[in-house]
Every structure is written in structure tokens, then in C-alpha cells.
């Protein structure tokens, strides 16, 4: 809990008065403008001033061209200036998904995805990662991060498993709240280099059931996030209230205690009712019982899924307790519909002043009214050495050693010959995964960083010969002492990554088989957003390593491979033996060991190499 000193009390009092004064002067149109969030691709600065828009976002891959830190800064500042030119000069809140670093920006430091941070079990590290992320964001004038994702994923087939820290709600609570403290910098919230956190997606997004995702037939695939591929993402969480609270709610309680003042609502439903229309969970539970005084933002076009009648979508979501709507494109329609609903009395005006009061309060707390870009961290912090060193530390601590026969790890750095194979071994895009530069991530040199192959090169002695081939074809090679095979899941984000079968593909199986006979000892490194089915392939290699989706700094991997550091990562998810074990029953049963399932590796597993 934050101790209240007299300055704090005074700030609170001042903010309350400032908000009340502003509210008393605002027209309905100006208030609705504050509740509207539009994607950058759909607005010009003049629209921001004309409509008094409260927020603009860059969805995944909504980048300026060319995508440079400088252009990001200019894009955001251009829109911000337009907001300051409005009658009341209310600054704009610009939001992004900086979910593993400021990850849309070419040149930013890309940290491991949350699954890797979960393996570190280190709240202090997670807090520092979030702090550096906030610093890089602030350098571009962006002060709102749609993070941390505090989902508690219960089914590995979900394409957002890697966005969750763990299947264990306690771990998610500890690391999620550390992340909030990092972004907002505790008592310094509002000073340069700090940004607003937005825990998401409230609530039960990680508990949906396979096969329950429904397409809203009145929306086209472009309009709705969920297209035909989605199987569990945005689905229905079919559990009792007791289990909803026990598994999925606690991370929000911790995040609110840590100071979270915005929360994003989940696309998913709870027992058939869309969260975006769930007054009991939004207003009664979150704002009432839990005393949440910040504001609630919708997810991407999510209210459109409530009903075929857009008027009902707007009325139901605002009355349920949503304060800001991520429209994200057809904002004229949203604005006029909400205006009409208020004029007809279908949305009470008190609901509007409550929503706008909450948004303005947070804008004051974030210091938006005073912040000047000149006082913020300089653009040079983007991808700076210090930040990359922290990312490397996070990678190193996230590495989970699953098998280590014949003391294969640590490898000897003065080894004579070494084989490195796999399409992901020299590929920043595949190493980073989804939500990197583009929404779905990318392939190849999408942003500067160090690949695994480059990290090996930097580590081994000058006398070592490295043989590399992405496909493991080494026709002229005699036997070498050590081989490293890197297998990967192709990048994905959200429901695009929903996968019924997590077995290795033929290409990966062939790759391992091709390299196996060439080396005395083989280590397999996995770039993956979740545990994969590897039981049959495990005997083929002496060492198996889960490196998750590490981001740009693969030297964190070689520091463990070559013994500068002993591995400390522990599995954040239970590792199943076969698909029949997925989903692994309920978390509580697995934890108590009363589920009669023996997984390949239990939650918390991780060897140390000695
Ligand atoms: C995702 C959110 C994200 C938003 C904005 C949605 O599709 O579910 O996690 O914050 O897009 O990019
Ligand atoms: C956006 C993402 C969003 C997704 C949902 C993309 O175009 O860039 O941020 O989450 O659409 O469909």
C-alpha cells in the first residue's frame, strides 16, 4: 500500500477539483470524444481536434512509415498537438501493445514474452523489464501500455498462452503486479519515463473452452478479430463463480493494489454472457466490490460482437460499465450512436460523467497535462546497450533445462567443431514471435538484435569451426562433437495461434533426425510459445532446452549453454506428455497431485547444470 503523505492528499484533492471543473464545462460531444479510442490509421490530427478524441492507439503493426523511433515520436506528437488545440486542451492518451518491450518499433529492445518472464519467477527482474519498456515508450511520447496480460491460461492450445506468465494464478498475481509497478514506477507515477499500465483481459480470458468461439455472423472477418481459425480465443469460460474468482480474478486484485488505473475487458464470455456486456462483473464486482477507481477500456471492436444491432452494442457496453471504447475505425458511428442513446435516455448522463471523470482523473495522475517530450528519455535509449543487457539477463534467467544427459550442458567454448541447425537459429523474427513489429510477428531481419547463431559465434573460441545450415544439410561433414538444433513454432498472435495439435511437425522431426548422426552430443533448443509434444523425440538428444520466445538478445541463451551461468528457469506451465493430457484438468487438481495425470514435466520443473 502506498503511504499517504500530505503531498499525496493535496494532489488527490487538486485533481478532484480540476476534474470537476473541467466536467462542468464540457459539452456532451466533448465528453463522448474522451470516451472514444481510434486506431492511428483511421485519423488525421484534424479529426482529433474536431472531435476532442480522448485516445488514439496503434494496434499491432499500426506503424508509421518508415518505422523508426523518430517517426513514431513525430506521429504521436502531431496528434498530441491537435488534442492540445481543443477548447479545453485535454491531452491525448496514446496506447500501444508494448507487450515485450516497445515491440512495434524497429530498433526497440525486445524482451522475452511473458511465458519466459514467468519461467524466471523473479518479480524484481520483471519490474525492471517493465520500467525499461516504459522508458523506451516515453521516448516516443507514448504513455499507455496495454500490458501486462494477466491471463491465467488453462489450455495450452490457446494462441495467447505465451502472453500469460503462468498457469498458476499466484505466479501471475506476483509477476503481473511487479509489471504494473515497473511501468508506473510506484510513487513516481506521472514523472518522466513512466507510463500507465493496463492489465488485460478482464476476466477469465485464459479459461475459455476449446470449440466455444462463435463468429458474429453480422460482422465480416475484417471487422471482427475472430475469424474462422479461432477455436478457443475469445470463447466461453464455462466455470463456477468460485473458480472464476480462485483462478482468474486474483491477478486483478493484486494489480489494483499495485496501482493499476486502467483495465482492458476480455473478448470472451463467462457462461455465455459477453464480458463487454457484463454489468455484474464490470460494475458490481470490479468497480464496486474491488473498489477499482480507474477506467475500463474495451478490446478491439469487441462491443460490435454483442449484438447485430449496433445501438444495442453501445447501450449495453456503456451501461455495463465500460468507460472508453476501442472502436477502432468507425468512430463517427460510435460517437453519433452514443449521443443518440444519451439523448433518448437509454444511457444515463451520470454514466457519461462518471466515465469521463475516471478518464480525466487518470490523465491527471499520469501527469499528461504537464508532460513535455523534452523532459522525457531521449530517443537514444531505444535499444540502448543497457536495455539490451537487461533483456539478455531476462533471457538467461528464463531458460529451462529439461534434460541434460552426459553433462552435455555446459558446452565447452573451446570445442573444435560445432554444428548449428534450424530455420530459427539465425532469424530474429522467429526468435521474437508474435506482437513484434507486426501483429503476427515476422520472419527474418525485422529489427536489430542478436540471433542464436550470432551469439554462438560471439561465445566460442577463435579456434572453433561453426557449421551452420537452416535445414540441417551438411553433405560433406564428418562427425563433430556437438550439435545444436533449434526448433520453433512459427510466429502467431491471438486466435491465429489456436492449435488443436501441439506435436512437432515433420520438418522439425526430420531436422533432428538429420543432425543426430552427425554429432556425438546433441542439444535441442526450442523457440516456442508453449510446451510442445516432444516425448517421442526426446531420446534423440542429450540435452533439451525451452528458450520460449526470447526476443532480440540470444546471448542470454549462450550464457547458459556455455556455462557462464547455471540455468535457473522453472516451468511456468505443466508440460504434457501427449495431447490426451491437454487441457490438463483444473489447475488446483494438478497442483494437489490428485488428478492422476503424470505429465512429461511438472509445473516448476527445471534442471540445474553442474
Ligand atoms: C487484443 C488486445 C490488444 C488490442 C489492441 C486486441 O485484438 O486482444 O490484447 O491490446 O487488440 O491491439
Ligand atoms: C490489429 C491488432 C488487433 C487485431 C485484431 C489487427 O489489425 O493491428 O492490434 O489486435 O487486428 O483483429
Amino acid at each position: 500500500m502506498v503511504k499517504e503523505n500530505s503531498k499525496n492528499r493535496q494532489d488527490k484533492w487538486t485533481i478532484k477539483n480540476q476534474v470537476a471543473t473541467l466536467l462542468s464545462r464540457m459539452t456532451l460531444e466533448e465528453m463522448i470524444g474522451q470516451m472514444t479510442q481510434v486506431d492511428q490509421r483511421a485519423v488525421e490530427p484534424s479529426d482529433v481536434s474536431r472531435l476532442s478524441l480522448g485516445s488514439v492507439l496503434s494496434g499491432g503493426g499500426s506503424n508509421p512509415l518508415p518505422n523508426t523511433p523518430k517517426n513514431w515520436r513525430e506521429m504521436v506528437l502531431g496528434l498530441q498537438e491537435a488534442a492540445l488545440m481543443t477548447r479545453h486542451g485535454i491531452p491525448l492518451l496514446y496506447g500501444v501493445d508494448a507487450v515485450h518491450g516497445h515491440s512495434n518499433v524497429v530498433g526497440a529492445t525486445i524482451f522475452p514474452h511473458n511465458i519466459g518472464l514467468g519461467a524466471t519467477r523473479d518479480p524484481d527482474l520483471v519490474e525492471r523489464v517493465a520500467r525499461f519498456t516504459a522508458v523506451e515508450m516515453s521516448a516516443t511520447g507514448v504513455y499507455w501500455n496495454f500490458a501486462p496480460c494477466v491471463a491465467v491460461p488453462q489450455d495450452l492450445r490457446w494462441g495467447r498462452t505465451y502472453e500469460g506468465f503462468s498457469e498458476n494464478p499466484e505466479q501471475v498475481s506476483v509477476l503481473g503486479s511487479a509489471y504494473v509497478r515497473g511501468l508506473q514506477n510506484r510513487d513516481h507515477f506521472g514523472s518522466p519515463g513512466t507510463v500507465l499500465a493496463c492489465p488485460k483481459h478482464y476476466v477469465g480470458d485464459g479459461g475459455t473452452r476449446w470449440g466455444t468461439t462463435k463468429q458474429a455472423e453480422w460482422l465480416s472477418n475484417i471487422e471482427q478479430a475472430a475469424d474462422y481459425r479461432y477455436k478457443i480465443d475469445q470463447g466461453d469460460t464455462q466455470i463456477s463463480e468460485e473458480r472464476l474468482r480462485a483462478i482468474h480474478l486474483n491477478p486483478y486484485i493484486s494489480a489494483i493494489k499495485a496501482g493499476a488505473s486502467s483495465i482492458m475487458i476480455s473478448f470472451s464470455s463467462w457462461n455465455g454472457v459477453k464480458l463487454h456486456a457484463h454489468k455484474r462483473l464490470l460494475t458490481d464486482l470490479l468497480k464496486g466490490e474491488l473498489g477499482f477507481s480507474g477506467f475500463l477500456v474495451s478490446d478491439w471492436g469487441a462491443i460490435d460482437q454483442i449484438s447485430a444491432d449496433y445501438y444495442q452494442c453501445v447501450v449495453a457496453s456503456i451501461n455495463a460499465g465500460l468507460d472508453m471504447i476501442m472502436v477502432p475505425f468507425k468512430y463517427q458511428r460510435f460517437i453519433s450512436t452514443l449521443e443518440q442513446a444519451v439523448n433518448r435516455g437509454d444511457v444515463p448522463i451520470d454514466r457519461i460523467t462518471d466515465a469521463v471523470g475516471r478518464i480525466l482523473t487518470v490523465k491527471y495522475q499520469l501527469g499528461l497535462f504537464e508532460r513535455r517530450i523534452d523532459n522525457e528519455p531521449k530517443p537514444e535509449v531505444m535499444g540502448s546497450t543497457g536495455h539490451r543487457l537487461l533483456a539478455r539477463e531476462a533471457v538467461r534467467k528464463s531458460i529451462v533445462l529439461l534434460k541434460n544427459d552426459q553433462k552435455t550442458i555446459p558446452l565447452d567454448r573451446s570445442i573444435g567443431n560445432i554444428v548449428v541447425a534450424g530455420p530459427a537459429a539465425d532469424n530474429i523474427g522467429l526468435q521474437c514471435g508474435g506482437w513484434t513489429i507486426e501483429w503476427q510477428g515476422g520472419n527474418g531481419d525485422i529489427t536489430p538484435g542478436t540471433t542464436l547463431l550470432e551469439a554462438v559465434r560471439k561465445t566460442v573460441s577463435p579456434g572453433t569451426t561453426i557449421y551452420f545450415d537452416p535445414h540441417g544439410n551438411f553433405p560433406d561433414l564428418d562427425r563433430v562433437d556437438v550439435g545444436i538444433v533449434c526448433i520453433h513454432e512459427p510466429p502467431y498472435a491471438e486466435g491465429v495461434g489456436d492449435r488443436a495439435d501441439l506435436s512437432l511437425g515433420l520438418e522439425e522431426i526430420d531436422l533432428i533426425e538429420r543432425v543426430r548422426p552427425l554429432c556425438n552430443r546433441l542439444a535441442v533448443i526450442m523457440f516456442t510459445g508453449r510446451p510442445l509434444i516432444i516425448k517421442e523425440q526426446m531420446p534423440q538428444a542429450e540435452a533439451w532446452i525451452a528458450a520460449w520466445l526470447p526476443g532480440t538478445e540470444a546471448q542470454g541463451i549462450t550464457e547458459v549453454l556455455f556455462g557462464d551461468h547455471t540455468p535457473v528457469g522453472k516451468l511456468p506451465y505443466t508440460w504434457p506428455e501427449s495431447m490426451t493430457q491437454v487441457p490438463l484438468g483444473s489447475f488446483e487438481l494438478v497442483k494437489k497431485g490428485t488428478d492422476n495425470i503424470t505429465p512429461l514435466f511438472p509445473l516448476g520443473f527445471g534442471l540445474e547444470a553442474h
Side-chain angles (χ1 to χ4, degrees):
M1 278 266 121
V2 188
K3 262 238 208 83
E4 236 189 19
N5 54 33
S6 67
K7 181 181 173 295
N8 243 323
R9 261 199 308 272
Q10 198 192 342
D11 283 355
K12 264 194 194 163
W13 186 83
T14 323
I15 290 178
K16 220 177 153 193
N17 279 300
Q18 280 162 324
V19 170
T21 310
L22 258 182
L23 277 178
S24 69
R25 294 180 183 156
M26 288 169 81
T27 63
L28 178 61
E29 271 178 301
E30 286 167 336
M31 287 198 282
I32 291 176
Q34 287 301 308
M35 298 170 69
T36 309
Q37 186 185 54
V38 184
D39 187 278
Q40 165 272 130
R41 287 167 284 199
V43 280
E44 296 296 329
S46 56
D47 303 315
V48 172
S49 348
R50 185 170 50 89
L51 299 165
S52 311
L53 296 181
S55 180
V56 172
L57 87 151
S58 275
S62 178
N63 307 323
L65 279 175
N67 183 345
T68 61
K70 186 168 164 281
N71 284 343
W72 269 89
R73 202 172 138 119
E74 277 170 15
M75 169 177 85
V76 175
L77 292 181
L79 294 161
Q80 188 60 275
E81 265 170 40
L84 295 175
M85 273 157 45
T86 53
R87 204 160 70 98
H88 306 295
I90 301 171
L92 193 73
L93 192 48
Y94 199 103
V96 298
D97 298 282
V99 295
H100 60 150
H102 197 2
S103 50
N104 283 302
V105 185
V106 172
T109 309
I110 308 295
F111 295 93
H113 269 298
N114 286 351
I115 191 170
L117 297 181
T120 73
R121 299 188 170 194
D122 184 341
D124 170 68
L125 173 72
V126 169
E127 185 171 334
R128 285 184 288 139
V129 165
R131 183 146 312 149
F132 280 24
T133 301
V135 165
E136 294 201 7
M137 290 174 64
S138 304
T140 57
V142 178
Y143 305 128
W144 190 15
N145 192 354
F146 304 132
C149 175
V150 293
V152 190
Q154 301 296 295
D155 188 329
L156 298 173
R157 293 172 292 184
W158 188 33
R160 306 193 82 154
T161 301
Y162 68 79
E163 293 187 61
F165 293 105
S166 174
E167 74 188 24
N168 177 342
E170 288 149 41
Q171 280 298 315
V172 177
S173 298
V174 170
L175 300 180
S177 50
Y179 200 100
V180 170
R181 286 194 297 271
L183 291 180
Q184 304 195 162
N185 202 0
R186 297 171 180 248
D187 291 348
H188 303 289
F189 185 42
S191 49
T194 63
V195 307
L196 173 66
C198 186
K200 66 186 187 184
H201 312 78
Y202 181 86
V203 60
D205 54 346
T208 55
R209 189 171 167 161
W210 183 263
T212 58
T213 312
K214 282 203 199 91
Q215 258 193 286
E217 61 276 8
W218 57 91
L219 298 177
S220 72
N221 274 349
I222 297 160
E223 279 172 328
Q224 63 184 337
D227 67 16
Y228 62 94
R229 284 171 292 192
Y230 290 33
K231 292 285 184 280
I232 181 168
D233 186 41
Q234 307 192 6
D236 190 19
T237 298
Q238 302 173 345
I239 55 176
S240 68
E241 177 158 350
E242 196 192 342
R243 290 194 55 211
L244 185 76
R245 284 175 182 260
I247 301 174
H248 302 282
L249 188 67
N250 281 324
Y252 291 93
I253 299 178
S254 306
I256 293 168
K257 272 197 197 131
S261 328
S262 77
I263 288 176
M264 191 187 293
I265 303 308
S266 179
F267 272 115
S268 58
S269 307
W270 179 45
N271 294 329
V273 181
K274 291 264 184 208
L275 262 297
H276 278 77
H278 216 300
K279 188 168 185 194
R280 198 158 80 73
L281 290 181
L282 272 48
T283 298
D284 302 349
L285 178 55
L286 194 48
K287 292 178 172 177
E289 187 185 320
L290 301 184
F292 176 67
S293 60
F295 72 91
L296 303 181
V297 63
S298 79
D299 203 344
W300 184 268
I303 67 164
D304 305 33
Q305 296 183 11
I306 295 174
S307 156
D309 175 2
Y310 192 67
Y311 187 81
Q312 289 311 320
C313 296
V314 172
V315 170
S317 58
I318 304 295
N319 284 342
L322 271 156
D323 302 302
M324 184 186 280
I325 302 299
M326 189 186 291
V327 178
F329 294 124
K330 295 182 186 166
Y331 51 93
Q332 300 280 11
R333 181 178 68 151
F334 168 70
I335 291 170
S336 56
T337 309
L338 183 52
E339 238 175 69
Q340 203 185 4
V342 175
N343 289 333
R344 286 195 197 158
D346 288 331
V347 171
I349 187 72
D350 287 358
R351 185 68 271 282
I352 303 294
T353 46
D354 173 52
V356 179
R358 286 167 178 268
I359 293 166
L360 293 177
T361 303
V362 174
K363 285 187 172 184
Y364 275 109
Q365 289 166 343
L366 183 54
L368 271 192
F369 287 82
E370 286 105 52
R371 286 173 84 153
R372 298 286 166 268
I373 193 74
D374 295 336
N375 303 329
E376 297 295 332
K378 301 286 167 258
E380 296 78 60
V381 298
M382 195 72 72
S384 63
T385 310
H387 288 193
R388 289 184 189 273
L389 278 175
L390 176 64
R392 197 204 284 194
E393 178 188 341
V395 173
R396 185 217 306 157
K397 293 180 172 167
S398 75
I399 299 297
V400 181
L401 184 59
L402 295 171
K403 175 180 176 184
N404 193 24
D405 284 2
Q406 298 176 35
K407 297 193 170 158
T408 300
I409 309 297
L411 301 172
D412 177 3
R413 65 176 73 221
S414 54
I415 198 163
N417 301 299
I418 186 168
V419 154
V420 179
D426 192 25
N427 192 310
I428 285 288
L430 303 183
Q431 192 172 296
C432 289
W435 294 109
T436 317
I437 312 304
E438 297 297 332
W439 178 42
Q440 292 295 322
N443 194 339
D445 285 335
I446 57 173
T447 193
T450 305
T451 66
L452 177 62
L453 178 67
E454 287 161 353
V456 172
R457 277 199 194 117
K458 286 183 185 172
T459 309
V460 292
S461 69
T464 305
T465 310
I466 302 171
Y467 300 91
F468 168 67
D469 186 79
H471 310 292
N473 292 321
F474 302 97
D476 308 321
L477 196 67
D478 285 335
R479 212 172 164 84
V480 298
D481 194 27
V482 168
I484 298 174
V485 164
C486 185
I487 60 175
H488 73 285
E489 268 199 306
Y492 55 79
E494 303 188 42
V496 178
D498 291 352
R499 251 176 91 187
D501 187 357
L502 300 172
S503 309
L504 294 192
L506 274 184
E507 273 173 45
E508 280 98 51
I509 295 174
D510 285 354
L511 181 68
I512 298 172
E513 282 175 2
R514 221 171 293 141
V515 179
R516 170 71 274 183
L518 299 175
C519 28
N520 294 332
R521 283 167 306 150
L522 182 65
V524 176
I525 297 180
M526 290 174 275
F527 288 155
T528 180
R530 51 196 152 186
L532 300 170
I533 305 303
I534 54 172
K535 190 182 181 212
E536 278 182 34
Q537 288 75 36
M538 282 209 74
Q540 299 231 42
E542 282 72 24
W544 282 79
I545 290 161
W548 315 114
L549 298 168
T552 47
E553 307 312 313
Q555 268 183 283
I557 305 173
T558 46
E559 283 175 349
V560 173
L561 272 184
F562 291 92
D564 295 329
H565 294 272
T566 177
V568 293
K570 304 290 175 207
L571 285 182
Y573 292 91
T574 307
W575 198 296
E577 194 180 73
S578 68
M579 281 318 288
T580 56
Q581 292 185 343
V582 179
L584 264 163
S586 80
F587 165 75
E588 308 100 297
L589 295 181
V590 175
K591 196 171 73 169
K592 284 194 209 122
T594 50
D595 60 312
N596 291 323
I597 289 174
T598 312
L600 190 58
F601 300 106
L603 179 70
F605 182 82
L607 298 171
E608 290 172 21
H610 289 297

